[in-house]
Amino acid sequence: MSNDKSGMSRRDVLRYGSLSVAGAAAGLLFGGKVEAQASLGTTIDVHGHVWTNEYLDMMDKFGKKDTWVQRNKGAGMGDAEMQKHLEMMDSVGIGIQALSICPQAPHFENKDNAVMAARKANDIYAEVLQKWPTRFLAYVALPLPHVDESLKEMERMFSHKGFVGATIATSILDKSIADEAFMPVYQELNRRNSVLFIHPGGYSAYSPLISEHRLTWMIGAPIEDTIAVMHLITRGIPQEFPNLKIINTHLGGSVPVLMQRLDNISTWEYPSIPEKPSIAVRKMWYDTVGMATIRAQGGCGFDWRRPTGIRYGLSYEPGPLFKRAADYIHEVGLKRRKSIAFCTATRRSF
């Protein structure tokens, strides 16, 4: 059984990779010694992106109409773009970033298209991990709604170092991510003690009141986050699959603001709900891509500063917004040393 430069076997890599995004980073790159990366920063960003024009062209070919959103963002694989990407990470103390192909998820009704796009996305990220093995991790893109093909793709990619979980959009075409058809995916990820990173698809929650008023990303994305979190809770996913670490983006959308309302109204609107939302919500994880809203959300009945509830996430868009996304988390009253401690996950805290 071959070992990588950290002295870890392939079995160790897979085991650590299945524990958590950040835990995988510590185990995969340092054998548990995060200090070795201290010169680059020990914070692990769980929310990053890379897209190539070739992949986006494929998405266009298969019918996507919104790839313009991801183009010309400086998130490509060209030498100059990647150098800038790494410099931006270094500037805010990020040692490692986990990459998700979403929102350009390979979710297509046509099975061949979905599989082709998923394999393309995953091969791109495999190349990134090969070129920059100490700076990036990645989530496996899944060709949903095709479950058997998704399971096969997970099996293929989890044999590569650096893939530490899977990623899906907040809905699979017009189906809930908690649809019974997708339970085999949750079962497999749970069996692997793995991670599921869920990102808005930019679908405007299928509402023309959002899409036709150019509100897809201003309010549509956090609404999609909110719907996804609540679908997981009402289906009992966090309770049923306790070994699965689910990371929801953007602080869970509106969930923290609505926490007390959810508890109160669920008693009569959904009396058979598996758990109170305020209990179930604590069994998942939430990244910090909140565009400076954590203070407001943290004051609405849910403590997002709880060390095991929040994960450092920035998304990636070069310029002032990237630094702002990193800085605002430290403005809630925590000293940088403490905030870095809770933003940086470890196997123990995860």
Side-chain angles (χ1 to χ4, degrees):
M1 186 174 292
S2 63
N3 285 18
D4 70 355
K5 293 181 180 179
S6 67
M8 298 184 68
S9 69
R10 174 178 168 183
R11 179 177 300 170
D12 290 331
V13 168
L14 292 175
R15 180 165 66 88
Y16 286 128
S18 69
L19 285 174
S20 70
V21 173
L28 178 62
L29 301 177
F30 320 115
K33 296 181 179 179
V34 176
E35 299 82 16
Q37 191 80 356
S39 63
L40 294 174
T42 56
T43 301
I44 298 163
D45 177 6
V46 301
H47 184 158
H49 305 288
V50 166
W51 299 285
T52 65
N53 286 332
E54 186 179 4
Y55 178 75
L56 295 175
D57 290 345
M58 176 182 286
M59 299 299 278
D60 286 341
K61 178 181 177 181
F62 292 162
K64 291 296 294 292
K65 305 295 184 183
D66 61 349
T67 62
W68 62 271
V69 177
Q70 284 73 45
R71 294 183 188 273
N72 303 313
K73 296 291 188 181
M77 275 186 62
D79 290 342
E81 288 177 301
M82 288 305 298
Q83 181 62 31
K84 180 68 173 179
H85 194 144
L86 293 169
E87 289 174 357
M88 293 288 287
M89 288 169 58
D90 293 344
S91 72
V92 295
I94 294 172
I96 304 163
Q97 187 178 73
L99 302 174
S100 167
I101 203 68
C102 293
Q104 287 300 335
H107 302 334
F108 295 102
E109 288 287 1
N110 183 290
K111 183 189 301 184
D112 292 339
N113 289 353
V115 170
M116 189 180 304
R119 291 181 68 91
K120 181 65 174 178
N122 292 327
D123 288 346
I124 289 169
Y125 281 3
E127 183 178 351
V128 172
L129 297 179
Q130 183 178 32
K131 289 183 175 180
W132 298 277
T134 64
R135 302 308 304 272
F136 294 104
L137 300 169
Y139 308 107
V140 179
L142 301 182
L144 290 171
H146 312 288
V147 171
D148 288 344
E149 287 71 22
S150 294
L151 296 175
K152 292 176 183 177
E153 189 64 6
M154 280 195 287
E155 184 68 24
R156 181 176 82 96
M157 298 315 300
F158 281 144
S159 67
H160 291 66
K161 290 192 299 183
F163 282 89
V164 294
T167 184
I168 61 174
T170 43
S171 58
I172 310 301
L173 303 178
D174 60 350
K175 291 184 177 181
S176 166
I177 59 172
D179 191 284
E180 289 298 317
F182 305 136
M183 290 306 106
V185 172
Y186 290 97
Q187 291 166 0
E188 177 61 11
L189 290 170
N190 185 70
R191 184 186 71 81
R192 291 176 176 270
N193 297 312
S194 195
V195 175
L196 180 63
F197 181 82
I198 304 172
H199 191 289
Y203 306 139
S204 299
Y206 295 95
S207 171
L209 293 176
I210 297 174
S211 60
E212 293 181 7
H213 294 268
R214 302 181 70 175
L215 297 172
T216 295
W217 290 104
M218 283 189 278
I219 67 170
I223 289 174
E224 289 182 36
D225 285 317
T226 306
I227 292 171
V229 171
M230 290 310 300
H231 282 193
L232 294 169
I233 290 174
T234 56
R235 171 56 180 76
I237 298 294
Q239 184 180 35
E240 184 174 348
F241 303 107
N243 297 327
L244 172 59
K245 284 76 177 176
I246 298 174
I247 301 176
N248 298 290
T249 53
H250 313 123
L251 290 166
S254 299
V255 170
V257 179
L258 299 173
M259 199 73 265
Q260 191 60 57
R261 177 185 179 90
L262 297 174
D263 275 355
N264 293 347
I265 294 181
S266 64
T267 60
W268 58 263
E269 186 171 36
Y270 202 145
S272 62
I273 193 169
E275 288 184 301
K276 287 178 63 175
S278 60
I279 295 175
V281 77
R282 295 176 183 274
K283 296 179 179 179
M284 295 184 285
W285 312 82
Y286 308 86
D287 77 26
T288 60
V289 183
M291 301 300 179
T293 59
I294 194 170
R295 184 183 296 274
Q297 289 172 309
C300 296
F302 189 74
D303 184 7
W304 294 103
R305 294 179 295 178
R306 184 174 61 89
T308 55
I310 195 166
R311 285 294 167 265
Y312 197 87
L314 300 184
S315 191
Y316 181 71
E317 187 167 344
L321 282 179
F322 187 78
K323 188 175 188 304
R324 177 60 181 150
D327 288 346
Y328 89 90
I329 190 81
H330 310 303
E331 297 174 3
V332 298
L334 295 176
K335 293 181 180 179
R336 182 171 179 84
R337 178 181 60 81
K338 292 183 179 180
S339 57
I340 287 295
F342 85 80
C343 291
T344 305
T346 64
R347 289 196 295 274
R348 184 175 180 181
S349 71
F350 225 116

